[in-house]
Amino acid sequence: MPAQINRILLLFTAFIGLFLVVRHFLIPETFGQYGHYRGASLDDISSREMVFADKEDCFACHDDIMEILENEMHAGLSCLICHGPGREHVDDPQLGNINKESGREFCGRCHDIHPSRPLDVVNQVDIKTHHTEKTNCIECHNPHALWEGME
Amino acid sequence: MAAAGTLVLSSVSRPFNVLLMASDPPPEEGPWWGIAIDITTCIGCGMCARACKMENDVPDEPFYFRTWVEQYTVLNNGEVKIESPNGGIDGFKSSVPEEEIFKTFFVPKMCNHCSKSPCTQVCPVGATFESPDGVALVDEKYCIGCGYCVQACPYGCRYLHPEKKVADKCTLCYHRLKNGLAPACMEVCPSKARIYGNLRDRDSEIVRFLKEHDYQVLKPHLNTGSKLYYNGLTAEIS
């Protein structure tokens, strides 16, 4: 074989060798573990901090509310809908670090009359006209026991 | 054992074998997550979109969403109006006089976690993928932010994160799933319009839902293998 071909072949081999070495160091260890991606990224994603608590966490302390709720319209609803996110409160239970949504606007998100809202799923009132002398729904309705003390 | 597994698998996956629902689970063990959304029970409170932003640190601006709710209004003259003010996070006000409405409903949208996802196929660096349990995810450390996947998703479920400069999308709250908790949007849904579950488990809530409802996927002609099944999907919805 002519010398110039040998030199080119040598150069090529060196290049390919260098490429393989560089590639080896650049590709993360877990790449290709499950597929064409970095396997460790599954752990990265699943180790993120949770913001919302779990409903079960609530009832570990508030079993009295759980009993009241059992036969109520709001039974089965997650506490976190009105009290969320709640993670901070679960880790360090204090009065100040839990949400207590109650305003006309907030209740109206589910209960305000709206043409797109299915009637058989949720009770609806017109929050613009329903007992406007009261500012807050919870003045009459206890969210945990809705018809308590009412006729 | 294997025969029993195949039997269970085939009985679960049979409804998906219809050409429209080409999402057979791969023959591995473990969960295979799917989602069901019931349009007929969605009350449009927007709690899901709100909770999602809190849980996943999604930017507040009204054009970054991992999940959002659309309000469809079909007018008497046949015109379809689709609105989603701030993704439904602040609730919905009806903008059309009631006499003009033919029908109207809410449609929650989120990632379909397709089993043949167009978004993961176009990634040039292997930063986005379908996990072994059927969740489409993004590797933030690997993503170069080219935005290919954003334009490849036929459902508009991805965006470029303005601070991280990478593609971001619904992870089905993978960090919660792995801890046995429901995704944030499902946790706060008051009307149980959103259901998630293991499609391989015959007793799971989602398989029961699929048995009892006439479900459909969005854009079935694209053959994305979508695992987000809608009940009450009508021709107007895209």
Side-chain angles (χ1 to χ4, degrees):
Chain A
M1 216 183 295
Q4 63 269 41
I5 299 276
N6 274 344
R7 281 202 296 273
I8 287 174
L9 272 181
L10 195 70
L11 210 61
F12 259 127
T13 322
F15 263 125
I16 290 168
L18 189 71
F19 171 78
L20 288 176
V21 170
V22 170
R23 185 174 178 271
H24 174 77
F25 284 106
L26 284 182
I27 290 182
E29 219 169 277
T30 55
F31 199 94
Q33 191 181 354
Y34 307 108
H36 188 68
Y37 59 91
R38 200 169 57 91
S41 67
L42 283 177
D43 302 324
D44 290 356
I45 296 168
S46 51
S47 64
R48 285 198 43 199
E49 284 285 308
M50 286 186 279
V51 179
F52 271 77
D54 182 19
K55 194 181 172 185
E56 302 304 315
D57 294 339
C58 309
F59 293 142
C61 302
H62 300 282
D63 47 348
D64 51 330
I65 306 264
M66 183 171 75
E67 272 169 37
I68 300 171
L69 269 171
E70 250 167 28
N71 304 312
E72 274 297 326
M73 302 284 275
H74 281 171
L77 260 63
S78 171
C79 310
L80 306 169
I81 299 169
C82 306
H83 296 296
R87 173 63 56 192
E88 208 184 323
H89 182 75
V90 170
D91 293 341
D92 173 28
Q94 279 174 19
L95 270 177
N97 59 9
I98 189 84
N99 271 349
K100 285 186 179 176
E101 303 275 7
S102 62
R104 221 164 236 278
E105 276 298 309
F106 187 82
C107 297
R109 292 177 70 125
C110 296
H111 292 289
D112 190 14
I113 190 130
H114 192 289
S116 308
R117 197 158 283 151
L119 280 166
D120 52 346
V121 177
V122 63
N123 282 339
Q124 295 172 41
V125 293
D126 191 344
I127 58 166
K128 282 191 256 348
T129 57
H130 183 77
H131 289 288
T132 41
E133 74 278 8
K134 304 279 196 332
T135 53
N136 202 327
C137 304
I138 60 165
E139 285 175 42
C140 301
H141 302 281
N142 174 355
H144 296 137
L146 287 163
W147 307 107
E148 181 191 63
M150 293 173 75
E151 283 173 20
Chain B
M1 186 68 196
T6 319
L7 203 69
V8 171
L9 241 170
S10 62
S11 58
V12 174
S13 64
R14 196 172 300 133
F16 311 102
N17 283 342
V18 185
L19 191 67
L20 300 174
M21 314 277 176
S23 64
D24 292 315
E28 284 139 37
E29 296 292 310
W32 177 248
W33 300 110
I35 312 150
I37 291 182
D38 195 345
I39 292 170
T40 59
T41 57
C42 176
I43 58 173
C45 60
M47 286 297 168
C48 45
R50 195 175 91 130
C52 178
K53 284 215 172 185
M54 285 188 203
E55 177 73 39
N56 295 302
D57 213 7
V58 178
D60 277 335
E61 285 85 352
F63 29 81
Y64 302 117
F65 294 102
R66 289 183 177 197
T67 181
W68 67 99
V69 184
E70 290 171 1
Q71 180 191 350
Y72 275 70
T73 313
V74 185
L75 306 182
N76 283 331
N77 61 13
E79 193 191 323
V80 183
K81 226 177 138 183
I82 308 165
E83 292 163 281
S84 186
N86 194 15
I89 287 180
D90 309 321
F92 288 92
K93 300 273 175 285
S94 64
S95 58
V96 185
E98 231 161 285
E99 321 71 85
E100 288 177 29
I101 299 175
F102 175 61
K103 63 174 174 178
T104 169
F105 44 84
F106 295 111
V107 183
K109 294 273 182 83
M110 65 185 289
C111 173
N112 289 231
H113 292 287
C114 310
S115 58
K116 300 175 203 164
S117 49
C119 60
T120 62
Q121 288 170 32
V122 298
C123 182
V125 295
T128 180
F129 53 91
E130 292 156 31
S131 76
D133 37 9
V135 182
L137 296 171
V138 178
D139 182 354
E140 285 178 8
K141 289 186 187 149
Y142 229 60
C143 177
I144 55 171
C146 67
Y148 243 139
C149 52
V150 177
Q151 59 92 39
C153 174
Y155 307 105
C157 294
R158 285 171 172 257
Y159 64 92
L160 281 179
H161 197 289
E163 284 141 38
K164 296 181 195 161
K165 312 282 183 204
V166 296
D168 197 48
K169 68 177 291 295
C170 164
T171 61
L172 201 57
C173 284
Y174 203 67
H175 55 300
R176 293 176 68 83
L177 278 185
K178 282 280 165 182
N179 286 301
L181 303 188
C185 60
M186 318 263 176
E187 177 72 36
V188 301
C189 180
S191 59
K192 299 275 179 295
R194 289 166 166 259
I195 297 161
Y196 79 105
N198 180 2
L199 290 171
R200 284 200 182 108
D201 177 7
R202 283 199 79 173
D203 299 325
S204 68
E205 207 179 344
I206 185 163
V207 173
R208 197 160 63 243
F209 180 90
L210 296 181
K211 276 181 196 165
E212 291 167 0
H213 295 84
D214 299 327
Y215 56 87
Q216 251 292 13
V217 297
L218 284 173
K219 304 190 181 173
H221 56 285
L222 294 180
N223 194 19
T224 55
S226 163
K227 297 207 296 318
L228 167 50
Y229 303 101
Y230 281 99
N231 175 47
L233 204 66
T234 57
E236 297 86 16
I237 303 171
S238 58

